Amino acid sequence: MRKEAELGGGEDRIERQHERDKMTARERIDYFFDDGTFTEFDQLRTHDCHNFDMQETKIRGDGVVTGYGEVNGRTVFVFAQDFTVFGGSLSKVVAEKITKAMDKAVEMGVPLVGLNDSAGARIQEGVDSLAGYGEIFRRNTEASGVVPQISAIMGPCAGGAVYSPAMTDFIFMVKDSSQMYITGPDVIKTVTGEDVTHQELGGARVHANDTGIAKFSCETDEEALDKIRYLLSYLPQNNVEDPPRVDPWDDPEKEPEALNSIVPDDPQKPYDIKDVIGNVVDQDSFFEVGENFAQEIVIGFGRLDGHSIGVVGNQPRVNAGTLTVDSSWKASRFVRFCDAFNIPILTFVDVPGYMPGTDQEHRGIIRHGSKLLYAYSEATVPLMTVVTRKAYGGAYIVMASKHLGGDINYAWPTTEIAVMGPRQAVNVLYRRELADIEDEDDREQRRQDLIDQFRDKFANPYVAADRGYIDDVIEPKKTRKKLIEDFKLLKSKRAELPEKKHGNIPL
């Protein structure tokens, strides 16, 4: 019976899986876990459906492999849908196996990884399969913020099945072999007349670049599994543990000279915030999340003297680093994840404001932008913030400012912190005076003089430092050393929010 279960749908179907450049469920599990550590349960279960002569075809284990093993010596629960068995479709028994894995993961306080490769609900079982999805969705919700939940889409994932991965913390997809969508191409063709392929509708590129649902787009199954293992190295096992610390390999006293020259003298000239991040965190430790979506903001994990941290930074190279509908959602979800799992957050600020325009306003920049305000305000983990060049208006407030609970807030010497940029402020404050100057050259000279005066008086970090909104103005190269020193104090931070059932984040 065990040999039968290990063969799944049989050699022919295993071969077809390989022809699609896909691993089988058991091959994925063997590759993912440390050698010899996987323990399977419910291997001998079979479905109990008698509709459409289904009782004539039973396969041990049904359409999913479940169990637990070790990843770099740490326990992880897994379920891997087996496409060779009834297309990996969800039966009552498959749902019961998956929910058992979910229950055990929460009970033991360890991460849950779901390897999705399924045709969807098993039609022959009718409402039982729908009930199974409901049981899974409820457990996704209950486990959220308790243990890390990670999904890998390694084949089809359609209809109601997509909602379980959507409620997990991180989604990995594999290019050319995975899809996620609510309604498939055939139905769309029937209803709207639109011709679209599976990949065009819901492939890895769509969800990594356009929707942001997939945080990682991988070339192969193996790459996806490798990256999940690496991601887990930054995460605690559950919400009551601290994130893991590794033996530091980088000098905590290091003062990278490159930081003193990264930000251009010209305030209109872009630079790459990833260069700043790379010089502050431990060398080669930055692991970016959602790289191809809403690139005007950068998020990811890094290490500071071996400690795991979350990193958020405005990206001046894309849309001048403005906050948009998409970047606000991207960053706020990441901040809330870090806060749920006790991961300190380091924020780099270079933001001119929210993206203007009717498109953003009509898409709901008010609602989406307030998500990031809510996320930072609610966070109780250590918040460290460095303003690298500018922080204007409401965007200054939202990016982990002292007013939202920032614990340590630094600015570099050439930083501008103000209600708006000097030119825009002068155009508002001195509109009549400038309009009365008839000679254009004289008007522009007066405008520039007023801009310089405004910058000297308001658009610098020293006014904010005088008010206590900035803790210190520091030389850029000292940023890493200062943050490591601060973290020694902040890692023991304990903060509690007012007692309540839950808040009402502007979803």
Side-chain angles (χ1 to χ4, degrees):
M1 286 189 292
R2 294 190 188 282
K3 289 181 179 178
E4 177 189 333
E6 290 169 1
L7 275 177
E11 295 288 356
D12 289 344
R13 292 181 182 177
I14 291 173
E15 183 60 31
R16 285 203 290 272
Q17 190 84 341
H18 291 162
E19 288 172 356
R20 300 186 182 102
D21 293 324
K22 294 166 59 179
M23 304 168 78
T24 66
R26 293 184 179 278
E27 289 169 345
R28 290 164 179 160
I29 286 174
D30 289 343
Y31 185 91
F32 178 64
F33 285 116
D34 299 346
D35 291 343
T37 65
F38 177 63
T39 298
E40 184 176 358
F41 52 75
D42 288 341
Q43 185 186 47
L44 304 181
R45 292 203 64 180
T46 59
H47 72 76
D48 54 6
C49 177
H50 288 69
N51 300 324
F52 302 97
D53 297 323
M54 285 290 289
Q55 72 275 10
E56 302 297 329
T57 308
K58 293 190 176 187
I59 298 174
R60 298 287 174 183
D62 208 356
V64 69
V65 181
T66 55
Y68 61 92
E70 293 184 359
V71 174
N72 297 318
R74 303 164 72 210
T75 302
V76 175
F77 271 81
V78 70
F79 67 85
Q81 294 171 334
D82 188 349
F83 196 79
T84 71
V85 179
F86 303 117
S89 57
L90 190 97
S91 66
K92 180 173 180 290
V93 167
V94 168
E96 289 172 351
K97 291 180 66 174
I98 291 174
T99 54
K100 180 189 283 191
M102 300 174 82
D103 289 340
K104 289 296 183 183
V106 172
E107 183 180 347
M108 304 304 171
V110 300
L112 174 73
V113 175
L115 308 180
N116 296 266
D117 188 0
S118 169
R122 192 169 297 175
I123 299 172
Q124 296 91 331
E125 295 201 14
V127 73
D128 280 341
S129 62
L130 299 181
Y133 276 124
E135 295 293 334
I136 292 171
F137 299 159
R138 177 166 59 86
R139 285 167 173 81
N140 283 131
T141 305
E142 292 172 350
S144 181
V146 179
V147 296
Q149 299 181 83
I150 300 172
S151 298
I153 312 300
M154 304 179 123
C157 188
V162 301
Y163 289 121
S164 175
M167 286 192 286
T168 61
D169 300 307
F170 299 98
I171 295 178
F172 293 72
M173 293 187 72
V174 180
K175 295 177 182 177
D176 301 324
S177 63
S178 65
Q179 311 99 41
M180 290 180 73
Y181 42 68
I182 297 295
T183 307
D186 292 341
V187 175
I188 289 176
K189 174 67 174 177
T190 301
V191 174
T192 70
E194 181 182 4
D195 280 313
V196 63
T197 68
H198 291 279
Q199 289 300 316
E200 290 170 343
L201 181 61
R205 292 177 181 84
V206 170
H207 289 307
N209 299 359
D210 301 333
T211 71
I213 292 171
K215 296 299 184 284
F216 301 91
S217 177
C218 306
E219 297 291 338
T220 62
D221 285 7
E222 291 88 346
E223 182 187 346
L225 296 169
D226 286 338
K227 286 189 174 180
I228 294 173
R229 285 177 59 93
Y230 190 58
L231 172 61
L232 286 167
S233 72
Y234 289 92
L235 310 183
Q237 292 289 84
N238 54 62
N239 66 331
V240 297
E241 292 187 9
D242 290 328
R245 187 193 185 205
V246 300
D247 291 333
W249 62 88
D250 206 357
D251 182 6
E253 301 291 321
K254 184 172 66 176
E255 297 184 355
E257 290 289 343
L259 287 174
N260 280 358
S261 58
I262 282 179
V263 177
D265 294 333
D266 182 353
Q268 303 301 317
K269 189 174 180 180
Y271 63 96
D272 194 340
I273 197 64
K274 296 179 191 178
D275 292 337
V276 175
I277 296 170
N279 277 281
V280 172
V281 301
D282 296 350
Q283 185 176 6
D284 299 327
S285 71
F286 183 58
F287 182 46
E288 189 171 358
V289 174
E291 179 179 5
N292 296 320
F293 175 72
Q295 295 180 336
E296 60 272 12
I297 206 159
V298 173
I299 61 173
F301 297 99
R303 300 195 189 277
L304 201 60
D305 197 30
H307 293 279
S308 180
I309 62 170
V311 181
V312 179
N314 305 115
Q315 176 57 287
R317 292 184 60 184
V318 181
N319 294 328
T322 52
L323 289 173
T324 64
V325 165
D326 291 336
S327 63
S328 297
W329 171 74
K330 174 182 173 180
S332 59
R333 183 163 168 79
F334 181 73
V335 167
R336 284 170 66 83
F337 174 84
C338 291
D339 185 52
F341 291 102
N342 312 311
I343 301 172
I345 301 168
L346 171 58
T347 304
F348 292 99
V349 184
D350 186 351
V351 60
Y354 287 91
M355 176 71 79
T358 55
D359 174 68
Q360 289 290 304
E361 295 291 348
H362 293 174
R363 288 180 60 195
I365 188 62
I366 296 172
R367 172 166 51 91
H368 293 285
S370 62
K371 291 176 183 178
L372 193 51
L373 277 165
Y374 192 107
Y376 273 123
S377 298
E378 186 184 46
T380 59
V381 294
L383 298 177
M384 300 173 287
T385 305
V386 180
V387 185
T388 59
R389 182 161 63 178
K390 59 183 175 296
Y392 295 154
Y396 150 70
I397 300 172
V398 71
M399 292 300 294
S401 66
K402 186 70 72 177
H403 322 290
L404 299 190
D407 296 297
I408 296 294
N409 293 69
Y410 292 132
W412 289 355
T414 56
T415 292
E416 297 180 359
I417 301 175
V419 174
M420 61 180 66
R423 176 171 291 276
Q424 294 89 336
V426 165
N427 288 340
V428 172
L429 295 171
Y430 300 97
R431 182 180 70 253
R432 291 183 179 177
E433 177 185 336
L434 293 170
D436 289 340
I437 301 175
E438 295 183 1
D439 185 81
E440 183 175 346
D441 292 337
D442 290 344
R443 184 168 60 250
E444 288 308 309
Q445 182 59 53
R446 177 57 177 161
R447 191 193 311 275
Q448 188 58 51
D449 291 342
L450 292 169
I451 288 172
D452 293 340
Q453 292 175 23
F454 184 90
R455 180 174 283 113
D456 290 341
K457 188 172 182 179
F458 295 108
N460 61 67
Y462 300 103
V463 175
D466 179 60
R467 303 292 194 274
Y469 305 149
I470 294 293
D471 294 304
D472 200 0
V473 180
I474 63 174
E475 188 178 359
K477 72 175 185 179
K478 297 183 182 296
T479 304
R480 170 178 164 80
K481 181 179 178 180
K482 292 279 287 182
L483 291 172
I484 289 175
E485 291 172 354
D486 294 327
F487 188 72
K488 292 176 182 178
L489 172 66
L490 291 175
K491 65 183 180 181
S492 61
K493 175 185 176 182
R494 294 292 181 266
E496 294 184 2
L497 297 173
E499 184 176 349
K500 54 186 173 181
K501 185 176 182 181
H502 58 72
N504 188 18
I505 184 172
L507 297 171

